[in-house]
Amino acid sequence: MSAPDEAGYATAFPRVLRRFALFAIAFSVVSITTGIFVNYAYGLTTLGPAAVWLWPVAAVGQVLVVLVLAELAGHMPLAGANYQWSARLVNTGFGYTVGALGLLYGAVGLPGIALVGLAPLAATVVGLDAADPLTLLVIAVLALVVAFVVNIVRVQWAARVNNLAVFAEIVGTVVLSVLLLALWATHRGSTPDGGHGLAFLTTANPGTPLADGIVGGALIGIFTLVGFEAAADMAEEAVDARRTVPRAMIAAAVISGVLGMVALIGFTVAIPDLGAVEASPVPLAAIAEFWLGPALTAVFLIIVVFSMFALLVVAAASNSRLLFAMARDGLLPGSGALRRVNGRTATPVVALVTSLVVCLVLLAYGTLDGAAFTILVGATALVPYLIYLLTLGGYLARRRRLRALGAGSFSLGRAALPVAGLAMVWLVAVVAALTLPEAFRAADYVVLGGLALTGLWYVAVLRRRLRDGTAGLPARSSGRPEQEMETA
């Protein structure tokens, strides 16, 4: 085992991920194909076609967030990114809370994508009954197992899947939407509504209160444009991480924002019959099938399924690195096993298997009680924004500490406080939108329940471990021990 680095850790992973692979990881987690496909119906039915103009609002807000996180990634390129940043800026207890929210997000989000998103589409593509719970369960289990096996075998396999996913995302959203837009422009008179104009993009549903419509329309972007920090979760496996990781995060956020807007405009303008599309369980498929026919639409659905699978692959990798990072600091039950990295595959096998088991348990629960599982999945919309909010709060409170944490390749300089301040305003607005409405109240209770369990473990076990030095961040190259950090 190598000597400790400047962060106080012995090197655990080989550095094999280069710039494009890191970009692919971040881009695949954001997954505009998955996000737009799953969330488009909600925005369309609440606000109407005008919902597309709230996408750039979310994109700008998230670019502000990613700029701050990129600065942190450049200074602290460590696995379990948000946990590490929060712990080193504030203290381990604060970082533990942020990390626990990240584990909740991964534990529910992965089976949610597999069961609610990937499984019905995959069943439809292969001609199975997409309404049969057993069929959906089998497909979801297979998808999760294969995604985790890819990660167990070697991280390069996961990187190759995500490299392909970049091109699938572009073909499945941008190319398709531009094609639909071109078909609409040349054959618009053949549509049931007689061919609407570009002013259609400003149409709002008159029956929805404006405030509810704005929140609903914004959720297309809010639900989709998250997860770009997955590249930072893989930082200890990145080549020249201080430079490549921040650039990958920023590029993924900006390119996803731009391409997502292009896709939304193309799909929305090409709506042939607004009433029929709103009534469809899969609006984007209904739009595609009108213009392309069932055969080419099936190809489109296959691309969407692959994008969702790639999202599972990289999310499994990211979640396991968070488990590994927190276990390395002794914060979790079974930390000794969870922090092991297999010498042959160079992957955290125990962390990956543990994450898979948790996902499968929640998947079984979701199959038995679909209504409760829907609430759990709904909570995952709020959790990443709570993580961002807490991380940026730590950044604003302790930014001066960055200099003591090592030189970073990316700095906001004098723009740091204005950018972080605007990002905080955005995050507060999003968290309010995802917690205050009555429709999200059940999901709020799930998050509060998760935080309560986190608190019980902290009070019962972790607080003592931190006090006696058997858990927490290692002494860093500056020689400042963790116990000093806890009292700072």
Side-chain angles (χ1 to χ4, degrees):
M1 186 171 288
S2 60
D5 60 15
E6 61 187 41
Y9 299 121
T11 301
F13 302 101
R15 294 193 177 274
V16 295
L17 299 176
R18 299 187 180 275
R19 185 179 302 174
F20 184 79
L22 292 166
F23 164 75
I25 287 169
F27 189 71
S28 294
V29 169
V30 174
S31 189
I32 53 176
T33 300
T34 302
I36 293 176
F37 197 91
V38 171
N39 301 309
Y40 182 74
Y42 192 78
L44 187 66
T45 55
T46 52
L47 182 58
V52 300
W53 300 113
L54 292 172
W55 176 276
V57 176
V60 170
Q62 289 302 87
V63 167
L64 292 171
V65 174
V66 80
L67 288 173
V68 178
L69 299 188
E71 185 173 27
L72 292 172
H75 282 81
M76 295 172 278
L78 296 166
N82 282 294
Y83 154 67
Q84 288 282 1
W85 301 336
S86 301
R88 290 171 184 271
L89 284 174
V90 184
N91 58 46
T92 304
F94 185 74
Y96 163 73
T97 303
V98 173
L101 285 170
L103 293 178
L104 172 64
Y105 181 53
V108 179
L110 266 71
I113 293 166
L115 185 63
V116 178
L118 184 148
L121 288 180
T124 300
V125 168
V126 298
L128 299 176
D129 183 3
D132 178 33
L134 181 59
T135 299
L136 299 184
L137 177 63
V138 170
I139 294 173
V141 168
L142 286 174
L144 284 170
V145 169
V146 173
F148 275 90
V149 167
V150 167
N151 278 284
I152 289 171
V153 173
R154 197 163 294 276
V155 70
Q156 289 98 319
W157 283 29
R160 288 168 187 163
V161 169
N162 287 291
N163 290 348
L164 290 174
V166 171
F167 301 102
E169 294 275 351
I170 293 172
V171 172
T173 53
V174 181
V175 173
L176 177 65
S177 64
V178 171
L179 175 61
L180 294 180
L181 184 60
L183 290 171
W184 167 84
T186 54
H187 300 83
R188 53 188 292 190
S190 64
T191 59
D193 65 4
H196 50 71
L198 290 176
F200 179 67
L201 292 175
T202 62
T203 304
N205 288 338
T208 304
L210 183 60
D212 293 343
I214 290 174
V215 171
L219 290 181
I220 302 176
I222 288 173
F223 284 172
T224 302
L225 296 172
V226 294
F228 33 70
E229 72 277 13
D233 285 321
M234 310 297 291
E236 293 183 37
E237 294 150 89
V239 176
D240 193 16
R242 291 188 185 274
R243 293 181 181 277
T244 54
V245 170
R247 292 176 182 178
M249 292 167 59
I250 295 171
V254 172
I255 293 174
S256 295
V258 173
L259 296 185
M261 188 64 193
V262 172
L264 281 173
I265 289 176
F267 283 124
T268 305
V269 170
I271 289 176
D273 183 338
L274 181 58
V277 169
E278 286 183 333
S280 171
V282 189
L284 295 188
I287 298 169
E289 186 164 356
F290 177 85
W291 296 106
L292 302 177
L296 286 178
T297 299
V299 174
F300 164 55
L301 293 180
I302 291 171
I303 293 173
V304 174
V305 169
F306 178 74
S307 296
M308 290 185 180
F309 174 72
L311 172 55
L312 291 181
V313 170
V314 72
S318 176
N319 197 48
S320 68
R321 270 53 175 190
L322 176 57
L323 270 171
F324 162 82
M326 295 180 70
R328 181 169 56 181
D329 292 338
L331 304 185
L332 301 176
S335 287
L338 290 170
R339 63 184 172 220
R340 293 175 189 162
V341 176
N342 185 278
R344 186 173 62 85
T345 65
T347 56
V349 174
V350 177
L352 283 162
V353 171
T354 301
S355 182
L356 173 59
V357 170
V358 171
C359 287
L360 293 179
V361 168
L362 286 173
L363 192 60
Y365 169 69
T367 304
L368 294 173
D369 190 346
F373 189 66
T374 301
I375 294 172
L376 284 175
V377 173
T380 61
L382 171 62
V383 171
Y385 287 95
L386 287 177
I387 293 171
Y388 297 148
L389 187 69
L390 291 173
T391 303
L392 262 69
Y395 173 90
L396 286 169
R398 302 292 177 87
R399 183 175 182 272
R400 292 182 180 179
R401 190 169 281 176
L402 281 180
R403 294 182 181 178
L405 295 172
S409 64
F410 177 77
S411 174
L412 292 172
R414 293 182 179 179
L417 290 181
V419 169
L422 289 172
M424 281 295 289
V425 171
W426 160 249
L427 291 174
V428 169
V430 172
V431 170
L434 293 176
T435 54
L436 297 181
E438 183 67 30
F440 300 124
R441 201 59 48 82
D444 296 344
Y445 295 144
V446 170
V447 176
L448 290 174
L451 288 173
L453 290 175
T454 297
L456 284 175
W457 171 252
Y458 182 88
V459 171
V461 179
L462 188 55
R463 183 172 56 178
R464 174 182 51 79
R465 290 185 180 179
L466 292 173
R467 190 168 53 244
D468 62 23
T470 58
L473 298 176
R476 294 177 298 178
S477 57
S478 62
R480 188 179 187 189
E482 169 61 17
Q483 285 184 335
E484 291 181 28
M485 289 282 290
E486 290 297 323
T487 58

